[in-house]
Amino acid sequence: MARSRLGEFLVSSGAIKQEELMAALRLQRGTNKRLEEVLLEQGFLQEDRFVELLSRFYGLPVFSPDRVQITPELLQLVPAALVRRYDLYPVRLEDNELFLACRGEVAPGVVENLRRLTGKNVRLVLMRPSELEEVRKLVLGEEQEAEPAEGGSVAQLLDALLIKAINLGASDVHLEPEPDHLKVRFRIDGLLRPVEQLPLDLFPALVSRIKVLGGMNIAEKRAPQDGGFVFRPAENGRATNVRVSVLPSVRGEKVVMRLLPSQEKIMELKDLGMTEELLENFRQLLALPHGLILVTGPTGSGKTFTLYAALKYLRRPEVNIITVEDPVELQMEGITQVQVDYASKKLTFSDALRAIVRQDPDIIMVGEIRDGETAQLSLQAALTGHLVLSTLHTNDAVSAVERLADMGCERYLVAAALRGVLAQRLVRTICSRCRAKVKPSLAELLALGLDPEAGEEFYAGRGCVYCHQTGYRGRTGIFELLVVDEELQKRIASGADTMTLKELVAGRMKTMRQDGLEKARKGITTLAEVIRVTMSL
């Protein structure tokens, strides 16, 4: 009844049209979704407007996310079973007042029961649906141990850990045996964060479960092993590729699980964080019929995902694209992907490349150029009518030339084949919900070569429930793009060193640090992040 009255209220207040309400009610039938979920999904209503109207309808105040303060005491006060049963989430304990975030509907007597149970003055508050979802993850996920319920299994424990990691946007799950407990850490936005301490006696069965799923030998405990499996939680059905590495240590085996999105989540080039100018220049390179294009940066800088985004941009029915990877991190439709076995030498990058060029490819992606033979074969393929994309470990774009030369590639071949080098890093982005202007410290300004007298203001996150009190939410790239023109080709062929090449392109190529500073001025990231990721440049 309350839902029906809410719909009528939204129509009468002019927030939605009658036909939009009827359409939402039709879509709601046969689902477990609330009316407001459907209205928001269909774009009939915006979150900010909705929570304002909900406040008027129920007579409840809107609770700001920066006031959320979830503590162990608060979680003990309201058991998780009651949170799930009543769909009420503790968000703050202030003196004798217990603030509970709700969705607007609370059954009669629930507040009184909770008041008696907790001995606190219970106050109901409203939050935006997206903010309430973050609170739900904190209350029922991050702040709670993921041990299986009574009668549960190790399989349920692993599922709970992976679901929690996915919900929190983690890229890696680390399981590390300590003397008296199992430490669980998640890598979120590039940094490791402790999230669990589990009983140590659960670990052997948990490792065995992971090994079975990953196709590894459960009896082998003294040698490193690699494997992988596809995790598909029942609650939403979305597949996540899990890549597993098991490493023996003095305290037992350490397990790291890398979580890779399914192919439908491969990002578009325009979503990686490139400026319009750089994006256009990079697309022009990708449009070339042949040549070598490199993406460089340290491990974890997003090189492979940039290549996947490039392949997604290039993928067309009339184009034959073949990749050689170790391992294949994301499977893509319409592309032939070859997985090499580099460690055992059964199928190396160079072996695969020799075979691939006989498969009539238009575009070849080499996951990583690791040795001189692969480098030379990539150059040859680029010079014989193929567009070759690959990655290389160098600090910046210009250093890629010297790296190829160090691998034994002739400079005249590098000059003839190399078309461009994209260097990148990942920086954490400021949480949009708690972003505020800040005055940078003198140390930050000096570290980045900025004028302390300029009085520039930058941005940082204060910390809120939406960003788990970190001030950051998500990551984006900072880039520099070296386009090899005729003048640069001549200098490379003549043996110019890295410093000479850098002097040549200075002023016409924006560096990663400059790109980072531009993003800091726009409030996308912080000066601290720019310093952290460009310290070695």
Side-chain angles (χ1 to χ4, degrees):
M1 290 297 293
R3 295 288 96 183
S4 174
R5 293 196 306 273
L6 175 60
E8 294 169 5
F9 170 75
L10 294 173
V11 171
S12 64
S13 63
I16 60 173
K17 298 174 183 177
Q18 182 68 36
E19 54 266 32
E20 291 175 333
L21 173 61
M22 300 309 295
L25 289 171
R26 283 196 300 271
L27 291 168
Q28 187 190 13
R29 288 193 198 107
T31 72
N32 293 321
K33 292 181 178 179
R34 295 177 299 278
L35 175 61
E36 58 266 28
E37 282 186 88
V38 179
L39 290 169
L40 291 169
E41 284 175 2
Q42 297 301 313
F44 296 153
L45 202 56
Q46 298 301 312
E47 250 196 343
D48 289 346
R49 177 71 170 140
F50 171 71
V51 77
E52 173 195 327
L53 291 164
L54 205 65
S55 176
R56 284 169 49 194
F57 183 72
Y58 288 109
L60 295 175
V62 178
F63 197 75
S64 173
D66 58 13
R67 292 191 64 202
V68 173
Q69 191 172 23
I70 296 173
T71 63
E73 179 189 2
L74 184 63
L75 294 176
Q76 290 170 7
L77 200 59
V78 186
L82 292 181
V83 170
R84 291 190 182 95
R85 181 178 177 185
Y86 295 128
D87 206 17
L88 289 171
Y89 301 91
V91 289
R92 188 178 182 91
L93 182 61
E94 194 173 288
D95 298 327
N96 199 46
E97 289 194 311
L98 173 62
F99 292 87
L100 295 173
C102 66
R103 302 186 190 277
E105 294 180 89
V106 180
V110 170
V111 173
E112 184 58 34
N113 289 340
L114 286 170
R115 187 178 289 122
R116 289 173 183 166
L117 175 70
T118 62
K120 304 295 181 183
N121 180 24
V122 175
R123 292 189 58 186
L124 297 180
V125 296
L126 296 171
M127 297 185 73
R128 294 180 181 87
S130 61
E131 294 167 353
L132 199 59
E133 177 61 19
E134 297 304 321
V135 168
R136 186 190 69 78
K137 292 174 187 176
L138 286 173
V139 173
L140 297 177
E142 186 179 16
E143 297 296 333
Q144 226 181 321
E145 289 191 355
E147 290 178 52
E150 193 173 333
S153 65
V154 169
Q156 290 172 321
L157 169 59
L158 178 60
D159 286 358
L161 282 171
L162 291 173
I163 289 169
K164 179 191 295 185
I166 292 166
N167 286 341
L168 293 173
S171 60
D172 301 85
V173 175
H174 289 237
L175 306 178
E176 302 161 301
E178 296 288 344
D180 57 353
H181 67 273
L182 169 62
K183 181 169 67 178
V184 182
R185 294 192 292 173
F186 293 168
R187 187 174 294 280
I188 300 173
D189 293 338
L191 299 180
L192 277 172
R193 182 191 304 172
V195 292
E196 300 280 0
Q197 286 191 8
L198 300 177
L200 198 58
D201 57 8
L202 291 172
F203 195 41
L206 185 58
V207 174
S208 294
R209 170 70 178 170
I210 293 168
K211 285 182 176 179
V212 168
L213 290 174
M216 293 175 275
N217 183 355
I218 62 172
E220 178 59 74
K221 299 179 187 295
R222 297 183 181 181
Q225 294 191 71
D226 294 311
F229 58 93
V230 176
F231 177 65
R232 191 185 298 273
E235 62 182 40
N236 60 28
R238 293 198 199 102
T240 297
N241 297 307
V242 183
R243 200 171 78 202
V244 183
S245 171
V246 180
L247 181 70
S249 75
V250 293
R251 293 192 181 122
E253 293 175 290
K254 172 174 176 173
V255 178
V256 175
M257 294 180 285
R258 170 151 288 187
L259 309 181
L260 300 164
S262 54
Q263 63 164 323
E264 63 265 21
K265 288 191 174 180
I266 296 174
M267 297 179 77
E268 305 282 349
L269 280 174
K270 62 183 177 59
D271 298 324
L272 297 178
M274 299 178 188
T275 62
E276 287 295 328
E277 181 183 2
L278 188 142
L279 178 59
E280 180 56 33
N281 289 337
F282 189 54
R283 282 174 171 163
Q284 287 177 13
L285 287 177
L286 295 176
L288 295 172
H290 54 79
L292 175 64
I293 300 172
L294 295 174
V295 180
T296 74
T299 301
S301 60
K303 301 185 298 295
T304 302
F305 282 89
T306 295
L307 284 187
Y308 278 128
L311 293 181
K312 187 176 182 179
Y313 173 76
L314 291 167
R315 181 176 57 184
R316 297 189 302 277
E318 66 272 19
V319 176
N320 181 20
I321 302 176
I322 305 180
T323 77
V324 50
E325 307 171 62
D326 180 23
V328 172
E329 295 193 359
L330 292 175
Q331 294 186 27
M332 296 182 68
E333 291 182 8
I335 290 175
T336 302
Q337 294 174 274
V338 178
Q339 180 156 315
V340 303
D341 191 350
Y342 196 83
S344 67
K345 303 296 183 184
K346 290 179 181 176
L347 179 62
T348 65
F349 277 110
S350 52
D351 293 334
L353 265 174
R354 288 191 186 91
I356 284 171
V357 293
R358 296 192 291 271
Q359 288 280 316
D360 186 31
D362 298 295
I363 299 169
I364 302 170
M365 190 269 265
V366 181
E368 182 184 345
I369 294 178
R370 297 180 181 176
D371 54 59
E373 189 176 14
T374 304
Q376 290 171 19
L377 286 170
S378 297
L379 289 174
Q380 289 170 15
L383 289 168
T384 53
H386 307 95
L387 183 65
V388 181
L389 312 178
S390 190
T391 70
L392 201 62
H393 284 277
T394 64
N395 249 0
D396 52 46
V398 176
S399 299
V401 174
E402 195 71 36
R403 180 80 177 111
L404 289 172
D406 290 343
M407 286 181 166
C409 299
E410 297 289 345
R411 282 183 172 269
Y412 74 91
L413 291 177
V414 175
L418 189 62
R419 295 293 178 265
V421 184
L422 179 75
Q424 67 178 70
R425 299 285 192 281
L426 292 175
V427 293
R428 291 182 291 170
T429 52
I430 301 171
C431 174
S432 61
R433 303 296 179 95
C434 61
R435 184 180 66 180
K437 282 189 176 183
V438 295
K439 186 177 180 180
S441 68
L442 179 61
E444 288 175 327
L445 294 172
L446 293 177
L448 292 168
L450 300 176
D451 182 7
E453 302 299 320
E456 281 190 278
E457 286 184 321
F458 290 88
Y459 297 82
R462 294 188 300 266
C464 67
V465 62
Y466 192 67
C467 61
H468 311 298
Q469 308 300 328
T470 63
Y472 296 97
R473 175 88 177 192
R475 289 190 290 177
T476 192
I478 59 172
F479 304 89
E480 62 184 35
L481 179 62
L482 176 70
V483 177
V484 181
D485 56 18
E486 288 186 15
E487 184 181 2
L488 204 55
Q489 281 181 322
K490 292 175 183 176
R491 294 297 186 94
I492 293 171
S494 66
D497 60 17
T498 299
M499 189 58 66
T500 302
L501 295 177
K502 283 185 178 180
E503 290 172 357
L504 179 65
V505 300
R508 62 179 181 179
M509 182 188 80
K510 184 190 294 179
T511 66
M512 278 184 286
R513 174 163 284 190
Q514 290 169 336
D515 190 32
L517 279 173
E518 188 175 304
K519 288 181 169 68
R521 288 188 171 100
K522 290 178 178 177
I524 297 170
T525 190
T526 63
L527 290 183
E529 276 295 284
V530 177
I531 293 169
R532 180 177 70 85
V533 302
T534 65
M535 195 178 299
S536 61
L537 297 177

